[in-house]
Amino acid sequence: MILADLYAFCPSIRQAVAGLGCDGQTPLRLLSSGLSNDNYVMGHCQPGNCQPGNRVQNHYAVRVNRDVSSLGVGRENEVWAWRQAASGGLAPELLWVSPDYHCYLSRYVADASLNIVNTAGTMRSGAMIAALLAGPLPTAPSSRAVTRLQELLCQLAALPVPELTVSTLEQWQTYYSALQASVTSASADVQQAICRVFDRRPQILEWITTMTDAQQGRWQFCHRDLNPCNVLWPADHPCLAIDFEYTCSAGPLNELATVLATHGWSATDTRWLCREYLTQLGLTDMPHQAIAAAVNMYWIFSCCWALLQAVAHKEQQHMDWFRQSELMLP
């Protein structure tokens, strides 16, 4: 694939890359293909230039957004959050955004996660996390990697608070309303799945109340989607966050829940991460049930998102994701 292949979708990228020594024949290599965007590395690899961890000055990452009207925070808020994180050294530098927000151009940072962490792809429920937290508190983590991730979490929390605030209750109400509006146009199996989520409303409201009480009214910069795909692990640099589609002002348990639900740290590292992160935020006596409730809400939102995508796109992959997420609920 070459850069010219993007011209029909994003004509303005031609002028954006002209000053970077790139043209239509510049090669693109697919980095990742997600449900809402595709990411490419742009440029020629010289010997040694594309090794994990290198910040190659003449290499760039191109992101192509699939759906600019998703249920995220909106592209303007996403770009603002990305630039705030980049200014603090917590994300790759964002160089250019197309006027229609279809394409982004950023510095390319190679990811060395395969050499640093081996926890990606592990899904954990609220009950699993509660069980891991039940043991004695460790004096130190078992790996340097979890320390790097904890530093990223705390540094993100210290960034300027976004104007857009989304409480857990507001997020649930948004998903609930969207599902209500979509149910009549859904297939029979999707309708049944939506009804199963709706049947959980008393339990969901209980989890939300538990989270809200435990967070003591704290609002902060919250990425809200720091799953393993959205954390870069340069070999010789602190962790970096990418993909700020859901960033807003929210409570700290929303941030922690994503990490606990998707990263699969050991019991020792899970306890250490929770204690260090929450202590630095001034939340020293966080009940384990509140952390478990936050993880449960992560999977509820994952279910809701998958169902809305299933209604809109009618693709099996979305129902597969719903079923995986539903299995994580008590």
Side-chain angles (χ1 to χ4, degrees), residues 91-135:
E93 182 184 3
L94 181 60
L95 302 171
W96 172 83
V97 175
S98 67
D100 56 10
Y101 293 94
H102 279 108
C103 289
Y104 302 159
L105 183 67
S106 64
R107 294 285 182 193
Y108 170 66
V109 178
D111 180 36
S113 58
L114 293 178
N115 300 322
I116 297 172
V117 294
N118 58 3
T119 63
T122 302
M123 300 169 66
R124 285 185 170 155
S125 66
M128 294 175 182
I129 294 301
L132 291 176
L133 293 174

Side-chain angles (χ1 to χ4, degrees), residues 58-85:
N58 62 342
H59 285 76
Y60 307 92
V62 178
R63 188 174 113 178
V64 179
N65 293 317
R66 292 174 185 255
D67 178 14
V68 295
S69 59
S70 68
L71 276 176
V73 297
R75 296 303 183 192
E76 290 185 14
N77 286 304
E78 175 192 16
V79 167
W80 178 88
W82 187 341
R83 286 179 168 148
Q84 289 294 318

Side-chain angles (χ1 to χ4, degrees), residues 63 65 73-98 101 104 155-166 219-223 241-250 255:
R63 188 174 113 178
N65 293 317
V73 297
R75 296 303 183 192
E76 290 185 14
N77 286 304
E78 175 192 16
V79 167
W80 178 88
W82 187 341
R83 286 179 168 148
Q84 289 294 318
S87 68
L90 307 178
E93 182 184 3
L94 181 60
L95 302 171
W96 172 83
V97 175
S98 67
Y101 293 94
Y104 302 159
Q155 289 170 337
L156 286 172
L159 290 175
V161 178
E163 291 186 7
L164 177 67
T165 62
V166 182
W219 296 86
Q220 65 182 47
F221 184 105
C222 197
H223 183 287
I242 59 173
D243 201 341
F244 292 83
E245 287 182 310
Y246 293 92
T247 303
C248 64
S249 175
E255 197 81 292

Side-chain angles (χ1 to χ4, degrees), residues 131-304:
L132 291 176
L133 293 174
L137 290 174
T139 57
S142 63
S143 70
R144 167 61 182 157
V146 75
T147 304
R148 292 173 63 180
L149 183 60
Q150 179 264 339
E151 291 169 350
L152 174 64
L153 289 173
C154 290
Q155 289 170 337
L156 286 172
L159 290 175
V161 178
E163 291 186 7
L164 177 67
T165 62
V166 182
S167 70
T168 309
L169 179 60
E170 290 169 333
Q171 184 69 75
W172 162 243
Q173 290 170 336
T174 298
Y175 274 127
Y176 182 76
S177 297
L179 288 171
Q180 276 189 315
S182 302
V183 68
T184 56
S185 59
S187 62
D189 62 329
V190 175
Q191 286 183 353
Q192 292 171 4
I194 291 174
C195 288
R196 292 203 299 275
V197 172
F198 285 179
D199 287 345
R200 292 180 175 272
R201 278 177 292 176
Q203 194 175 36
I204 288 169
L205 293 175
E206 182 178 338
W207 290 333
I208 292 172
T209 299
T210 299
M211 286 179 63
T212 302
D213 291 345
Q215 291 177 126
Q216 301 175 20
R218 180 182 171 88
W219 296 86
Q220 65 182 47
F221 184 105
C222 197
H223 183 287
R224 294 201 303 166
D225 197 21
L226 287 175
N227 65 69
C229 294
N230 290 335
V231 179
L232 295 180
W233 297 83
D236 56 357
H237 187 273
C239 291
L240 299 175
I242 59 173
D243 201 341
F244 292 83
E245 287 182 310
Y246 293 92
T247 303
C248 64
S249 175
L253 287 180
N254 295 278
E255 197 81 292
L256 186 61
T258 307
V259 173
L260 297 178
T262 62
H263 282 255
W265 297 103
S266 68
T268 295
D269 288 342
T270 297
R271 293 175 206 140
W272 186 89
L273 177 64
C274 289
R275 181 191 66 196
E276 293 300 310
Y277 173 62
L278 294 169
T279 297
Q280 289 203 29
L281 299 180
L283 300 170
T284 55
D285 295 312
M286 179 66 65
H288 293 174
Q289 66 180 26
I291 298 174
V295 174
N296 289 335
M297 286 307 303
Y298 171 84
W299 291 118
I300 285 290
F301 292 153
S302 182
C303 285
C304 293

